[in-house]
Amino acid sequence: MRYCGRDLDRARDEELSVLEGGDPVDHYLLQFWPAPAGPDRVVRQTSRTAEYWHRHARSLPPPPSPQEEAEAESRRREERESVARAAREEAESLLWGGRSPSPSLRRVGGDALELVQLDRDLADAVDAAGPEAQRSMARWAARQAVVKAGLIGVDRIATALESVERGEALPEPIDEPGRAGEGLCTGPGVPGARADATGGPRVDVAQQAKALTALRAAVEPNPLRAALDALFAAATTYGGSYPDLFAAARREIPGLRAG
């Protein structure tokens, strides 16, 4: 690139008159041509103003090299990623009751988050207890739900509960979450009580339907999910008294206490 300017000093001296509408007194020529990259150099200098600006330019630090630019961009990218990661961790902590979950608790799905909202410490204890204690917890919770819902005296429900406690599949149609299964909550001999959900996880929940949900949860292949889902379903049968259920769980399951 080539730059030429005439009357720079005069233009500087008459700058005010030009701004007030006078005729311009300086002229410039810019010329560009292809050439290999190289350092800037002054070919010709003909004014005090140009000398001043050349001196100022030489006092400036050199521009960053391509490697320095790449390193700076890498640092900026790492900083952005760090900020985004911190934001994700904070959001996850809020979602999970104030602290990040273990990988297994994060992955398990089901009603894990629902149970965490009721009792995060219990969810962590179940998570840490191991598969055997988790399966015991799932079966225990299913029994508590059936008893609380008043279904233990209904032959078909009691038979299904015995299957769960033996580690067997649920009989039909209780294994179906749709209309056929829920129809077991009505008919002769089936009580019609509803949960007192004051302060509890659900409002006006049919205890019988949630007891069936607990039975189905207890046979989930993943023992952690089975325990968490069955506990939450049992909690909905207890309504506002669900803390009593959770206190009993801590007393009754030895592996849970150890966890």
Side-chain angles (χ1 to χ4, degrees):
M1 182 187 78
R2 180 185 180 191
Y3 162 77
C4 296
R6 293 183 177 180
D7 298 325
L8 290 180
D9 292 336
R10 179 185 169 198
R12 182 175 180 275
D13 294 339
E14 298 184 15
E15 178 179 4
L16 183 59
S17 65
V18 173
L19 291 176
E20 291 175 349
D23 294 330
V25 295
D26 52 341
H27 304 275
Y28 304 91
L29 171 67
L30 297 176
Q31 291 181 328
F32 301 87
W33 61 89
D40 294 340
R41 63 191 180 94
V42 177
V43 178
R44 184 181 179 188
Q45 178 179 296
T46 59
S47 67
R48 297 188 311 276
T49 302
E51 179 185 11
Y52 170 83
W53 286 113
H54 291 157
R55 187 167 60 250
H56 172 72
R58 293 186 187 104
S59 70
L60 300 176
S65 67
Q67 180 180 354
E68 291 170 334
E69 285 280 12
E71 292 173 350
E73 176 57 30
S74 177
R75 288 192 297 271
R76 288 191 292 269
R77 184 169 56 253
E78 290 175 359
E79 290 171 359
R80 290 194 298 269
E81 291 173 354
S82 177
V83 170
R85 183 166 55 252
R88 288 194 300 271
E89 290 173 354
E90 181 179 2
E92 182 180 66
S93 176
L94 292 173
L95 181 66
W96 287 91
R99 57 183 182 269
S100 295
S102 69
S104 57
L105 193 58
R106 182 186 293 112
R107 293 192 304 265
V108 72
D111 290 323
L113 273 172
E114 300 278 7
L115 186 63
V116 160
Q117 302 307 312
L118 299 181
D119 192 326
R120 173 59 195 273
D121 290 338
L122 179 60
D124 284 341
V126 173
D127 180 31
E132 184 175 349
Q134 289 162 359
R135 188 59 69 184
S136 295
M137 169 57 66
R139 294 166 182 166
W140 178 88
R143 172 168 284 276
Q144 306 314 303
V146 168
V147 171
K148 186 69 173 178
L151 297 177
I152 196 63
V154 180
D155 289 344
R156 56 187 178 271
I157 305 299
T159 299
L161 177 60
E162 290 170 1
S163 297
V164 168
E165 293 177 331
R166 290 194 300 267
E168 300 171 357
L170 280 171
E172 296 181 352
I174 296 178
D175 62 333
E176 301 174 14
R179 182 178 301 173
E182 304 307 336
L184 295 168
C185 296
T186 60
V190 179
R194 306 183 78 83
D196 173 15
T198 305
R202 289 291 186 270
V203 177
D204 197 30
V205 172
Q207 288 177 301
Q208 297 80 11
K210 299 312 294 185
L212 292 181
T213 300
L215 281 171
R216 297 185 191 110
V219 297
E220 280 281 343
N222 183 324
L224 175 58
R225 177 164 177 171
L228 297 175
D229 285 8
L231 265 175
F232 181 72
T236 62
T237 69
Y238 272 65
S241 63
Y242 76 88
D244 296 338
L245 171 75
F246 291 170
R250 289 181 164 95
R251 293 193 303 268
E252 296 295 331
I253 307 299
L256 184 64
R257 292 201 299 273

